[in-house]
Amino acid sequence: MKQRILISLILILVGSGLSGQEVFRRFSTDLENYPGELVKFMGTSDEETQPLIIQTFIENWNAGMMLDTTKAQLIAISNKMLDKNARPRPHFITYLQVINAFTLYLGPAENYLNWLRSMHHFTASRDYTLPVINDYLLFSLKLLNSGILYVSNSTRWTSSNADFQLLFDDSVQVVVGQTDLTCNAIRDSIMVHGTGGIYNPLSHYWRGDGGRVTWERAGYSPDQVYAVLDQYMINFRFYEFHADSVAFYNKQYFDFEILGRLDD
């Protein structure tokens, strides 16, 4: 019941708060004012889930689930997003979804702190456009919710290991430990078993270390035909990867490894 009342209140405030007012320019630095100002800025939407996203954020804000220093950072980032002409949708609604996900996140606190640092940097710099920032927000949301490293209309790269380390030093790096890295495309798939690596979500490059590739999809036994990788690089925007220094095994025909390069 309380949930319905809060959602209704949000919609009423939104409907009445924006009529006849000037374009929203800036959020106050007063922590108590941010939820109300956010509701007015976000406006109404035909999507049923969006009032719930805003409601969840405000409940977390008011319930003491965020430090005051974190709240101040979120407001500062919000104003920098406004400076880049960010809109309630898609930019701010995705921003709120990422914050909601991090509020429930059980991983290292350093990941959230580094994410905030990265958002400060990207929104303050002229080198990063609003579309790039929005892509980064979408990446963050999919990583937290589904372990997806990259997704497009035709390709999706995922990690089987939900644990990761997010690093930031002028650019973002996501460090993934032992994992099965999978690419699902429209007509095919690739999997690197038992690998690990570092992913840059801005350049879309994965720098992998170790792992095994099999060809079960072509009918070969994974114990008989496989390749053992050393270090390799993948551009996730494309359904392919190239690896040097590969040891190839086909135990049906050879009792020794064949060294070479793998293109798949």
Side-chain angles (χ1 to χ4, degrees):
M1 184 66 179
K2 291 173 66 177
Q3 185 181 71
R4 292 180 180 176
I5 292 174
L6 182 53
I7 292 177
S8 300
L9 182 60
I10 288 173
L11 295 176
I12 291 170
L13 286 172
V14 165
S16 61
L18 286 181
S19 57
Q21 289 188 359
E22 296 180 356
V23 176
F24 192 91
R25 300 292 183 187
R26 206 141 199 90
F27 292 102
S28 166
T29 56
D30 189 326
L31 303 184
E32 294 183 1
N33 291 341
Y34 185 71
E37 291 176 345
L38 180 69
V39 167
K40 293 180 180 180
F41 169 72
M42 292 301 293
T44 56
S45 171
D46 294 333
E47 296 186 28
E48 295 181 0
T49 59
Q50 294 198 7
L52 183 58
I53 293 168
I54 301 170
Q55 173 204 352
T56 300
F57 174 81
I58 293 175
E59 286 180 346
N60 292 337
W61 184 281
N62 292 331
M65 298 183 69
M66 305 178 192
L67 298 173
D68 285 352
T69 53
T70 301
K71 292 179 179 180
Q73 286 179 292
L74 295 176
I75 293 174
I77 293 171
S78 297
N79 282 324
K80 290 176 183 177
M81 290 175 63
L82 289 177
D83 291 340
K84 288 185 176 289
N85 297 318
R87 297 177 178 272
R89 282 158 290 276
H91 312 113
F92 268 87
I93 198 67
T94 309
Y95 178 55
L96 296 180
Q97 285 179 283
V98 176
I99 297 166
N100 289 345
F102 264 121
T103 302
L104 299 176
Y105 178 61
L106 299 178
E110 193 69 20
N111 284 346
Y112 189 19
L113 295 177
N114 283 335
W115 183 82
L116 290 171
R117 289 178 58 227
S118 69
M119 282 296 295
H120 268 293
H121 178 76
F122 296 151
T123 54
S125 173
R126 294 182 179 180
D127 295 333
Y128 299 93
T129 63
L130 189 57
V132 169
I133 293 170
N134 193 59
D135 285 345
Y136 180 58
L137 288 171
L138 290 170
F139 155 77
S140 303
L141 185 62
K142 290 180 173 64
L143 177 65
L144 290 167
N145 288 345
S146 308
I148 296 175
L149 295 170
Y150 175 82
V151 63
S152 68
N153 291 333
S154 60
T155 307
R156 182 177 65 182
W157 288 90
T158 59
S159 166
S160 64
N161 186 353
D163 295 331
F164 63 90
Q165 184 181 8
L166 193 149
L167 306 177
F168 177 73
D169 185 9
D170 292 334
S171 188
V172 175
Q173 291 185 323
V174 178
V175 181
V176 182
Q178 191 81 357
T179 188
D180 292 335
L181 183 67
T182 304
C183 174
N184 294 109
I186 294 176
R187 295 186 179 87
D188 208 349
S189 64
I190 297 173
M191 178 179 287
V192 184
H193 302 270
T195 189
I198 300 174
Y199 178 57
N200 185 319
L202 300 184
S203 68
H204 307 298
Y205 271 96
W206 164 273
R207 180 156 47 91
D209 185 12
R212 175 184 289 205
V213 176
T214 61
W215 284 270
E216 293 170 85
R217 66 186 188 275
Y220 294 104
S221 168
D223 298 322
Q224 296 292 313
V225 180
Y226 59 91
V228 177
L229 308 181
D230 190 8
Q231 294 184 341
Y232 62 98
M233 293 281 291
I234 303 176
N235 185 335
F236 280 175
R237 287 175 295 185
F238 304 103
Y239 172 71
E240 60 184 24
F241 76 91
H242 310 283
D244 296 317
S245 303
V246 173
F248 176 74
Y249 295 85
N250 187 334
K251 295 183 178 180
Q252 295 175 341
Y253 298 103
F254 309 107
D255 59 359
F256 55 87
E257 66 182 23
I258 300 173
L259 301 180
R261 172 185 173 90
L262 175 63
D263 298 297
D264 201 350

